[in-house]
């Protein structure tokens, strides 16, 4: 089956390529000035932006969108200020482009090193919230890339105005024409076309529901950076300090249950299960968390006379991303059992061990193969900001190029530079 | 069109996955001992290997393979010794796995850093020379990966015995079962199946003719590391020192004309063309190089009374990878013209400027967007060994994860490790 790429999309990709060529060596000062101006203009143009957003809200309400989703779609003066503040925060981040590393002189006399450069053209496919348009454009500009934005159709009016405001402002202060490309079409088929544009788009970053991401991963011939599911595990080891463990589990599960780095499955060493599980039923129950227990865990609670505040887990509860106040709990016999469970069910996103035992901590860090592996910390720390790296465009569970939070550095790559004085190879 | 993946291939991928899990944290000592033993056994089993190779040679000759190709396919005692020496050289390379970098403590109190780990499962698809089986398996073992080998059908008997010898030796000295998988099928369709095994194979590395690589790039849903064409440019700037330039051009074109980093197109600044071109016709002509000249270059030679030793280039000679003693030559008006030509025709492999001018050197290094960009050095230096990095499994013109020579480091990735003491996110 041959996908035909529309003339419009080809034209946008070619315009982006021409822009990317100049973006690659634009001075940091020029990029920062453009971002600072964009932050201002987002507020100057607030009336126009909010009018477009109202159109989206009205259309979505007419089509029966629920209130929670409408709220995600809605912009107001406060949210515009938040978006502008986000752009200013990107100004403050160090520019990764131009960094030279590993430079050394070889026996032949040539000096060889790596120089950090932009990826080129980012194809960004996203759903729902209009603020993502601004975040992605700002990170793309700072990292010296051109970007092709394909947003969700519900936010088309909002996104279109935002992209135009950003693009017009950027070019008015010296960024190359074409650096921000926005796809006006509501057609879902455009996504399929973008995924076939190897050589025209350098990387596809999808952000949205798992349906979108799975579709992209299953169909893209362009390299993809994305989180293909986020089933996060915490293992409470035999030696865990339960005074530390309980708050970490509560934080991982409840601090923001709808996001990818929230805890999904708790693995408990059998030696501490009879102490820990009753406390968790009490503490998590108060916070409205639904506990789904393996048969061994439920047996322990029944033996302790605790027959409510939990239900029996199904097999399918393990390896499930809940994005809600639900926690699957399994009692395991050993660290090895926990490692086996994680090997089978992990999506490679975030796993944490709670332990006071040095060797077990080291084994967990070594043997668990995830983008982020932790000791004695909440899974919620898997985040560009918390890692001290600034705003992220997403989190990757892929293995190549980017793992974990994708920040400015992940929007760049490296090229080798060789400085000689007339050397030839013998 | 749905590709059905055979049970045999799925079984091999699952066996590789189980092996990869253990390979990821196998001590360097164990991997090195296995490699050292493999180097020995390749020589111990030389009779068996050479017998299998004779079968391939006989079959290929019966099917009319030409002598040059037969020579590439042929093994003998000397070549086996070369292969064993190659494996021993991999023993001597530092193990990239386990390296920790960027570790720092954040305001929250967590310490965060990156730890280098294997990619996982490498799908290696290659043609012709049996020594590539040994090189790829050795690099894969050293970098802690499992590998699925799919070689060319001409070398099936040789590759099969080599893979079995390596696999048996590896497991006999403590490497996990399944670490080396070899596909015995001659079916080309297996390649198509491998390209759809996203999540089962972590990376596809094709090595062989451009036809194979283009097929892989155009069809793979698994991330690919490869060279999608290698049209290499050298630009002789106005300020070039021609005493340096001529030997570099000769080396880049003639030292090994059949490989990817050999020179294809020479761009000459108009200010030096009348001095340089006659010398090149004389020097390269002696070495059997066919010169194909743009109209401006040919006009300059005609004006100098040189009417033989060159032909007129066609448009299609620019942007062509010759892999032979042929050189396309174009006279350009300026550095900007050279940069434009490279922007249009480069495949992102290797480009070099010959200049004494600081600013032009810096501009070339900054503005040319290729995996390897050079000043005053032969394009032939784009090589893992010449960069001081050891044996390479190929050269990448892709932008993500690997650019330029792909050595042990490119067969690894990084995960984030977080060490806390009970931190929760506020």
């Amino acid at each position: 089956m041959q996908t035909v790429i529309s003339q419009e999309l080809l034209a946008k990709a070619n315009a982006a390529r021409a822009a990317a060529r100049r973006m690659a060596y634009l001075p940091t000062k020029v990029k920062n000035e453009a971002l600072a101006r964009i932050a201002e203009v987002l507020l100057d143009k607030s009336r126009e932006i909010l009018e477009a957003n109202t159109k989206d809200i009205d259309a979505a309400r007419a089509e029966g969108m629920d209130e929670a989703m409408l709220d995600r779609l809605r912009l107001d003066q406060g949210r515009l200020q938040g978006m502008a503040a986000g752009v200013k925060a990107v100004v403050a981040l160090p520019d990764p482009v131009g960094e030279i590393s590993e430079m050394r002189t070889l026996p032949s006399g040539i000096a060889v090193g790596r120089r950090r450069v932009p990826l080129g053209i980012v194809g960004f496919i996203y759903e729902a919230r209009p603020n993502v348009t601004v975040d992605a454009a700002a990170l793309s500009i700072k990292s010296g890339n051109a970007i092709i934005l394909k947003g969700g159709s519900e936010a088309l009016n909002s996104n279109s105005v935002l992209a135009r405001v950003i693009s017009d402002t950027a070019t008015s202060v010296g960024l190359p024409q074409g650096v921000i490309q926005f796809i006006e079409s509501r057609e879902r088929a455009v996504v399929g076309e973008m995924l076939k544009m190897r050589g025209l788009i350098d990387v596809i970053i999808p952000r949205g529901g798992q349906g979108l991401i799975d579709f992209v991963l299953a169909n893209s011939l362009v390299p993809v950076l994305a989180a293909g599911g986020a089933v996060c595990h915490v293992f409470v080891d035999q030696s865990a300090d339960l005074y530390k463990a309980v708050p970490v589990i509560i934080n991982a599960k409840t601090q923001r249950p709808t996001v990818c780095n929230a805890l999904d499955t708790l693995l408990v060493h059998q030696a501490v299960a009879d102490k820990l599980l009753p406390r968790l039923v009490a503490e998590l129950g108060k916070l409205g968390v639904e506990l789904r227990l393996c048969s061994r865990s439920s047996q322990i609670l029944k033996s302790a006379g605790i027959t409510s505040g939990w239900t029996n887990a199904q097999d399918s509860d393990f390896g499930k991303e809940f994005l809600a106040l639900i926690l699957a709990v399994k009692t395991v016999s050993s660290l090895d059992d926990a490692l086996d469970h994680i090997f089978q069910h992990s999506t490679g996103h975030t796993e944490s061990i709670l332990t006071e035992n040095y060797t077990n901590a080291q084994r967990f860090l070594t043997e668990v193969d995830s983008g982020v592996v932790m000791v004695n910390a909440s899974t919620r720390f898997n985040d560009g900001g918390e890692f001290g790296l600034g705003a992220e465009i997403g989190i990757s569970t892929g293995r190549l190029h980017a793992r974990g939070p994708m920040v400015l550095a992940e929007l760049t790559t490296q090229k080798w530079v060789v400085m000689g004085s007339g050397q030839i190879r013998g």
Side-chain angles (χ1 to χ4, degrees), chain A residues 8 36 64 73 192 202 204 212 220 271 317 323 331 339-340 350 396:
Chain A
E8 186 204 345
L73 184 54
D202 295 304
I204 293 281
L212 169 68
S220 187
D317 286 320
L323 300 171
T331 296
L339 293 170
D340 284 343
T350 317
S396 167

Side-chain angles (χ1 to χ4, degrees), chain A residues 173-194:
Chain A
V173 296
L175 264 56
Q177 289 283 346
V179 63
I180 307 288
Q181 298 287 335
F182 182 78
I183 293 173
E184 299 282 350
S185 165
R186 287 179 192 270
E187 298 288 323
R188 181 80 185 248
V190 175
V191 172
E193 292 174 47
M194 287 175 73

Side-chain angles (χ1 to χ4, degrees), chain A residues 193-206:
Chain A
E193 292 174 47
M194 287 175 73
L195 303 184
K196 305 304 174 202
M197 293 172 74
R198 182 188 275 274
L200 297 168
I201 295 176
D202 295 304
V203 62
I204 293 281
I205 301 179

Side-chain angles (χ1 to χ4, degrees), chain A residues 221-425:
Chain A
L221 298 175
V222 181
V224 178
L225 301 179
V231 181
C232 300
H233 295 79
V234 166
F235 170 54
V236 185
D237 189 25
Q238 176 166 19
S239 70
D241 177 343
L242 300 189
Y243 289 97
K244 289 180 194 166
V246 173
V248 168
I249 295 164
I250 290 171
N251 183 260
K253 183 66 251 179
T254 68
Q255 197 238 355
R256 203 167 162 208
T258 57
V259 294
C260 61
N261 58 17
L263 174 61
D264 296 291
T265 296
L266 182 71
L267 302 170
V268 180
H269 193 287
Q270 58 180 1
V272 294
D274 59 341
K275 285 210 191 80
L276 180 64
L277 293 177
R279 285 199 221 174
L280 285 182
V281 171
E283 299 263 1
L284 288 172
K286 274 190 281 184
L287 295 164
V289 177
E290 181 188 334
L291 289 163
R292 299 185 183 174
L293 271 56
C294 75
S295 57
R296 231 169 134 184
S297 306
S298 61
Q299 204 52 56
I300 290 165
L301 285 176
K302 279 189 225 158
S303 303
I306 302 167
T307 54
S308 67
W310 53 272
T311 59
N312 290 313
Q314 317 246 318
D315 279 354
S316 62
D317 286 320
F318 298 101
K320 186 181 278 184
E321 183 179 8
F322 293 112
L323 300 171
L325 286 173
I326 303 170
L327 181 65
V329 180
K330 186 178 180 184
T331 296
V332 296
S333 302
S334 62
L335 171 60
D336 282 298
D337 282 0
L339 293 170
D340 284 343
H341 183 96
I342 290 169
F343 179 72
Q344 278 172 19
H345 295 287
S346 166
T347 54
H349 195 284
T350 317
E351 334 292 345
S352 184
I353 185 173
L354 309 182
T355 189
E356 297 301 311
N357 181 290
Y358 168 83
T359 299
N360 290 357
Q362 291 297 334
R363 279 195 64 197
F364 194 88
L365 289 178
T366 302
E367 298 184 26
V368 172
D369 178 32
S370 295
V372 178
V373 190
M374 302 177 166
V375 179
N376 292 341
S378 167
T379 55
R380 290 278 296 121
F381 281 108
N382 181 351
D383 174 85
E386 294 294 331
F387 281 10
L389 307 167
E392 67 194 25
I393 197 162
I395 286 182
S396 167
T397 61
R399 303 181 67 78
L400 275 78
H401 185 80
R403 288 186 97 184
M406 294 188 284
V407 298
L408 285 176
E410 280 70 29
L411 293 175
T412 66
T413 180
Q414 291 177 306
K415 68 182 179 190
W416 290 96
V417 292
V418 175
M419 283 175 285
S421 49
Q423 280 81 3
I424 62 173
R425 186 163 166 190

